């Protein structure tokens, strides 16, 4: 593989001065502040606030003089978000112990899996975990709800719990979720399930947030999970009646991606594109945290990346001459519902897919140590080698590029660049990684580091410029080729 030729010194100086002057901390801070303000109510897909955020981007892009690259000469590409929201009127979930009824609150205390509505009702049988349920359930399980502990969450054991319930002829399953599943996790699971994130289940199933599940066990005198070893045995919960019904509706909404183009300068290479992406949606409004805040602001996730890509666009628009290749700026919605907006774009690209040579995705770029940015996927393509080199060439950035800190989190499969990877396009994600406020109401602008986000934007600008200038497009490495083969074998998700 050839080393890319270093840019001449004066050109590098011009690029740096554009990066520094066009991309300012103040403007990045303003974008994050507005996009993650309470008025924007967490930019859910779909929501009026998502539309407002799209309008904000469009106004900025028009002012920068970039070309619209969405539908019909506009900056907007619409796609259909189909969801199956729970019908709150027709649905319920409660437990009655010695005649006292306690209703569980949807999205706060329980989530429902898509499947037959039920109702599932009766005196339940309890099993502390899926393995003990598989070993055998009493005859009373026939036609009754099965309450089963899931100490490892919705992992591989989950299927075993369903199988045990089916074999015993249970009428439904109540999953007692693990410690990780608090109110905000329950809210996000419910939203993901309404967005079509799971297959249809063969019988009615709900998941109880950890606290609600433990409270249920305590109130019927069963030692909660982890309370003793071995755990409480499989048993019929006498004097208890449990009932739940989950009716899902159907809804569809046309939601916006935002797309702009900077045409390249080279007559040949201008038909090729480097695509910069950031998702501008977040998860909306949900259960309040300890401070009573119910707006999941998504300042770092991903107002920061949205702002950074906008400022990269500003820098490109201020160059004395555009790079050889064209640049496409793409802000997608529906990321939090399962990378839906970017998947739609990859299926329905507004420029020829085969002309897209690289994708650079920015997701969560304003937190943690001020000097470190992670290049997720650096081992899979030659973009990795290039990002290290750009950072070395520009110590003024004040950034150290580091690899994926926790490969087991599978971040390379978890943001919008993956929609391009699935199409065989080399991609890299720049991120400053997860933090304690991830997907919580506390991911607010005051906890972001706009200075860092601005520096990541400058790095992205310099890197995108190189990708758009060097004659050879980036390539997959051997590890990348292997990943593509593995993905192919796995088949469509
Ligand atoms: Zn997120």
């Amino acid at each position: 593989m050839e080393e890319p030729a270093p840019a001449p010194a004066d050109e590098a100086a011009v690029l740096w001065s554009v990066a520094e002057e066009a991309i300012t901390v103040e403007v990045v801070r303003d974008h994050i502040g507005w996009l993650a303000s309470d008025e924007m109510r967490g930019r859910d897909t779909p929501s009026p606030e998502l539309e407002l955020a799209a309008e904000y981007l469009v106004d900025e892009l028009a002012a920068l003089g970039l070309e619209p690259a969405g539908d019909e000469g506009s900056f907007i590409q619409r796609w259909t978000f189909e969801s199956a929201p729970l019908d709150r009127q027709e649905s319920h979930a409660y437990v009655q112990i010695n005649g006292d009824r306690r209703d569980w609150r949807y999205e706060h205390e329980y989530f429902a899996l898509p499947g037959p509505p039920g109702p599932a009702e009766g005196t339940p049988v309890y099993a502390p975990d899926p393995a003990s349920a598989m070993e055998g359930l009493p005859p009373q399980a026939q036609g009754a709800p099965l309450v089963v502990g899931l100490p490892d969450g919705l992992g591989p054991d989950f299927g075993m719990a369903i199988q045990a319930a089916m074999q015993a002829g249970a009428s439904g399953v109540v999953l007692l979720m693990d410690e990780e599943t608090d109110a905000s996790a329950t809210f996000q699971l419910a939203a993901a399930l309404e967005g079509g994130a799971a297959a249809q289940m063969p019988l009615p199933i709900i998941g109880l947030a950890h606290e609600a599940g433990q409270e249920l066990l305590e109130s019927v005198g069963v030692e909660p999970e982890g309370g003793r070893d071995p755990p409480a045995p499989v048993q019929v919960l006498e004097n208890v009646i449990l009932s739940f019904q989950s009716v899902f509706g159907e809804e569809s909404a046309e939601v916006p991606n935002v797309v702009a183009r900077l045409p390249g300068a080279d007559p040949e290479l201008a038909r090729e594109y480097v695509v910069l992406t950031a998702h501008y949606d977040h998860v909306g409004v949900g259960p309040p945290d300890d401070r009573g805040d119910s707006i999941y602001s998504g300042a770092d996730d991903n107002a920061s990346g949205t702002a950074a890509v906008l400022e990269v666009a500003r820098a490109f628009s201020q160059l004395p001459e555009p790079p050889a290749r064209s640049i496409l700026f793409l802000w997608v919605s529906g990321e939090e519902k399962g990378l839906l907006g970017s998947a739609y774009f990859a299926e329905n690209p507004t420029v020829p897919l085969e002309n897209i040579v690289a994708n650079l995705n920015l997701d969560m770029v304003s937190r943690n140590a001020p000097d470190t940015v992670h290049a997720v996927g650096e081992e899979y393509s030659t973009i990795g080698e290039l990002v290290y080199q750009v950072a070395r060439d520009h110590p003024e950035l004040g950034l150290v590029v580091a690899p994926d800190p926790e490969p087991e989190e599978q971040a390379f499969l978890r943001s919008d660049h993956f929609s391009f990877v699935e199409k065989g396009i080399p991609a890299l994600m720049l991120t400053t990684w997860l933090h304690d406020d991830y997907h919580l109401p506390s991911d607010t602008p005051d906890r972001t580091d706009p200075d860092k986000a601005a520096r990541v934007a400058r790095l992205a600008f310099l890197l995108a410029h190189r990708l758009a200038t060097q004659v050879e497009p980036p390539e997959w490495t051997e590890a990348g080729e292997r990943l593509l083969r593995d993905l192919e074998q796995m088949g469509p998700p």
Side-chain angles (χ1 to χ4, degrees):
M1 199 155 27
E2 254 180 310
E3 276 275 296
D10 53 340
E11 199 194 322
V14 169
L15 270 183
W16 176 252
S17 73
V18 171
E20 203 176 25
E21 281 159 31
I23 302 174
T24 66
V25 182
E26 292 70 31
V27 174
V28 169
R29 180 183 289 119
D30 284 352
H31 290 323
I32 296 175
W34 166 242
L35 291 165
S37 63
D38 283 356
E39 293 96 302
M40 296 302 277
R41 297 180 60 80
R43 308 182 305 283
D44 196 12
T45 303
S47 69
E49 294 79 17
L50 185 78
E51 297 289 336
L52 279 179
E55 278 171 31
Y56 180 82
L57 291 170
V58 167
D59 289 349
E60 293 279 333
L61 294 168
L64 293 178
L66 291 168
E67 285 186 7
D71 299 331
E72 291 154 14
S74 78
F75 285 107
I76 298 288
Q77 177 191 46
R78 296 231 169 233
W79 58 279
T80 307
F81 174 63
E82 300 201 31
S83 60
L86 191 83
D87 183 331
R88 315 278 177 117
Q89 299 301 318
E90 297 295 317
S91 305
H92 69 258
Y94 67 83
V95 62
Q96 200 170 306
I97 303 167
N98 294 322
D100 284 339
R101 172 166 159 168
R102 158 114 161 72
D103 278 85
W104 287 309
R105 288 176 70 198
Y106 180 66
E107 280 192 329
H108 293 233
E109 292 174 304
Y110 84 97
F111 60 87
L113 283 91
E121 203 165 70
T123 296
V125 169
Y126 166 74
D129 51 52
S132 58
M134 276 304 272
E135 274 166 28
L137 295 169
Q140 292 94 321
Q142 168 86 39
L146 173 68
V147 175
V148 56
L150 270 195
D152 298 322
L154 288 173
D157 279 5
F158 164 62
M160 217 200 301
I162 311 302
Q163 204 185 330
M166 298 287 287
Q167 280 172 9
S171 62
V173 181
V174 176
L175 304 164
L176 305 183
M177 298 302 293
D178 59 318
E179 270 176 9
E180 307 272 284
T181 313
D182 58 9
S184 71
T186 300
F187 154 64
Q188 288 172 56
L189 274 166
L193 291 160
E194 289 189 349
Q200 293 284 318
M201 295 293 137
L203 72 177
I205 301 172
I206 60 170
L208 272 192
H210 186 71
E211 214 174 302
Q214 297 300 293
E215 192 191 296
L216 167 67
L217 292 182
E218 276 164 33
S219 57
V220 298
V222 173
E223 187 113 1
E225 133 212 341
R228 70 180 202 209
D229 194 22
V234 171
Q235 59 192 280
V236 178
L237 300 181
E238 305 290 355
N239 307 321
V240 174
I241 291 174
L242 204 147
S243 174
F244 64 95
Q245 171 165 290
S246 311
V247 178
F248 289 95
E250 269 177 34
E251 240 170 62
S252 81
E254 302 293 312
V255 293
N257 288 336
V258 180
V259 208
R261 169 186 20 226
L262 178 89
D266 184 273
E268 272 298 300
L269 291 179
R271 62 191 181 84
E272 297 187 348
Y273 287 87
V274 172
V275 180
L276 278 128
T277 49
H279 77 85
Y280 72 101
D281 66 309
H282 194 55
V283 301
V285 178
D289 63 8
D290 298 345
R291 305 179 301 175
D293 187 1
S294 60
I295 297 170
Y296 289 60
S297 306
D300 185 46
D301 186 8
N302 186 27
S304 70
T306 300
V309 172
L310 195 48
E311 293 316 290
V312 172
R314 184 185 312 278
F316 271 106
S317 74
Q318 290 183 6
L319 282 172
E321 192 189 356
R325 289 191 178 86
S326 299
I327 312 280
L328 203 68
F329 303 97
L330 171 63
W331 291 266
V332 295
S333 49
E335 192 270 354
E336 303 289 7
K337 310 290 186 197
L339 316 182
L340 299 181
S342 58
Y344 181 85
F345 183 89
E347 284 300 322
N348 305 274
T350 58
V351 302
L353 193 72
E354 62 272 22
N355 293 351
I356 298 177
V357 299
N359 169 238
L360 206 53
N361 182 40
L362 275 63
D363 196 353
M364 304 173 64
V365 296
S366 65
R367 294 287 300 252
N368 298 322
D371 62 347
T372 307
V373 60
H374 297 280
V376 173
E378 45 84 42
E379 69 274 45
Y380 296 131
S381 78
T382 53
I383 309 173
E385 162 188 326
L386 213 53
V387 69
Y388 287 119
Q389 197 183 330
V390 169
R392 276 199 303 274
D393 291 352
H394 291 279
E396 324 84 284
L397 283 168
L399 284 173
V400 175
V401 175
D404 188 337
E406 294 171 67
E408 65 279 9
E409 288 279 338
Q410 296 200 301
F412 198 61
L413 314 184
R414 283 176 50 188
S415 185
D416 295 299
H417 53 278
F418 187 64
S419 298
F420 292 89
V421 170
E422 283 192 303
K423 297 292 180 190
I425 298 165
L428 186 86
M429 171 167 69
L430 293 177
T431 177
T432 56
W433 207 246
L434 302 163
H435 45 79
D436 289 345
D437 301 309
Y438 174 69
H439 279 208
L440 291 175
S442 52
D443 179 9
T444 46
D446 58 302
R447 297 192 181 187
T448 64
D449 178 348
D451 182 76
K452 183 173 186 179
R455 287 180 290 119
V456 173
R458 288 176 191 145
L459 171 66
F461 165 66
L462 296 168
L463 175 58
H465 192 276
R466 269 195 211 188
L467 287 167
T469 308
Q470 63 174 24
V471 177
E472 292 304 321
E475 288 171 5
W476 293 99
T477 60
E478 241 169 73
E481 301 279 5
R482 224 176 303 130
L483 175 80
L484 291 185
R485 278 197 300 275
D486 289 350
L487 291 173
E488 211 159 293
Q489 272 175 13
M490 271 160 35

